[in-house]
Amino acid sequence: MIVILKPQAPEQKVQQLIRDFEAQDLKIHFSQGESSTILGLVGDVAHVDMEQVLANEVVADVRRISEPYKAANRRFHPQDTVVEVCGRKIGAGYFAVIAGPCSVESQPQMETVAASVKASGAAFLRGGAFKPRTSPYSFQGLEAEGLHLLSAAKKATGLPIVTEIMSEDQLDDFTDVDIIQVGARNMQNFRLLKALGHCDKPVLLKRGLANTIEELLMSAEYILAGGNERVILCERGIRTFETCIRNNLDISAVPVLKRQTHLPVIIDPSHAAGNTWMIEPLSRAAIAAGADGLMIEVHNNPKEALCDGAQSLDMQQFADLMQDLKRRVAFEGRELQG
Ligand code: PEP
Ligand code: MN
């Protein structure tokens, strides 16, 4: 971190600022130029509050020269993290597909979809029991009953389950859930992230609708800093000026994240596309870009779905897609889980 001092800053106040940094175990590299004086802070600057430094009367500007996330940073953890759940691996060449309906709607629905996506090669079953909907009048999910139906489908098929949590108060009800999903709208729910940092379950962290890659990594950092090392990142499309698609899939987030972090990265083409016809090309793009997995919405009867029917593949479409994806995953030298 670099701190640029104001010209003619009183010496006494500069010395006090230096002492404050030294008290935080930082070493100071002092550089007196012709027009400006710069302090280079050497050490663990993750805890330095940039805004507080900027508020100091002798400081003109503050700049970070390294990333503010540490535990998520590939620089300090060069090998890819492999998240292992119920014998299935994600990351470092292991590729997993998570499939299932947007929301859990009924017992026959879950039974049918779970058996079908398993037969097609999915490694995990998804389904929302608690749905974050834009309108309070839309279907909000079956809640506790939804969790129960997910557990029943897991028992019947052996597929581990992935479902979204909305609040840390729900953690006790998620004991049978195998991967806890944090949805886009909760990516910066810091109380929730902190609570997940202390739990022993893997977390699938989705990127917020209007969040930067650095913000996604800082949210992952909350979970990692609490001691939970099993975090999977998910790019699911971001808001842009474009209106002809639901969200813009930021495919470049995959190589950027792969460079910046050791955590596995998966793509959700369903919430990016908002339609079914784009799922296949976006899935192919995800594999080619280096993603470690996909999360795809599949419904037994998309026309009747209570949520996100327009983007949900029917079971046959998913089976056909998996045939194609299996070849592509193998071609890229990755190992499909399931
Ligand atoms: C979901 O996966 O059903 C969901 C609500 O996704 P997102 O948080 O990405 O909108
Ligand atoms: Mn959905």
Side-chain angles (χ1 to χ4, degrees), residues 192-320:
L192 174 61
L193 299 176
K194 279 186 188 172
L196 292 170
H198 296 116
C199 89
D200 63 355
K201 289 190 186 286
V203 177
L204 174 63
L205 178 64
K206 296 186 99 175
R207 180 178 179 184
L209 282 70
N211 285 108
T212 63
I213 290 174
E214 184 167 292
E215 286 164 343
L216 172 62
L217 288 169
M218 289 307 286
S219 290
E221 189 78 10
Y222 266 88
I223 304 169
L224 297 167
N228 185 353
E229 293 177 351
R230 293 194 292 169
V231 178
I232 303 158
L233 304 172
C234 179
E235 160 60 36
R236 44 77 75 206
I238 50 172
R239 283 250 170 103
T240 69
F241 52 83
E242 185 54 73
T243 54
C244 75
I245 35 178
R246 185 175 183 190
N247 291 292
N248 261 142
L249 182 66
D250 181 8
I251 201 73
S252 46
V254 179
V256 172
L257 284 167
K258 289 273 156 192
R259 193 182 171 92
Q260 300 297 107
T261 183
H262 50 90
L263 298 172
V265 180
I266 72 164
I267 289 283
D268 168 353
S270 306
H271 289 88
N275 58 50
T276 52
W277 61 267
M278 226 190 290
I279 307 297
E280 184 185 336
L282 295 185
S283 300
R284 286 198 240 127
I287 296 169
D292 300 298
L294 289 162
M295 180 188 246
I296 298 176
E297 287 188 339
V298 182
H299 199 280
N300 52 325
N301 184 5
K303 283 194 280 303
E304 300 290 324
L306 296 180
C307 183
D308 285 349
Q311 69 196 31
S312 300
L313 298 183
D314 67 27
M315 296 182 298
Q316 187 57 50
Q317 287 171 323
F318 179 69
D320 295 343

Side-chain angles (χ1 to χ4, degrees), residues 2-9 14 17 35-39 50 53-63:
I2 285 173
V3 178
I4 302 158
L5 301 182
K6 286 181 181 160
Q8 276 99 46
V14 172
L17 179 66
S35 57
S36 60
T37 305
I38 292 173
L39 306 181
M50 280 178 74
V53 176
L54 199 54
N56 189 299
E57 60 187 303
V58 299
V59 173
D61 202 2
V62 186
R63 287 183 210 152

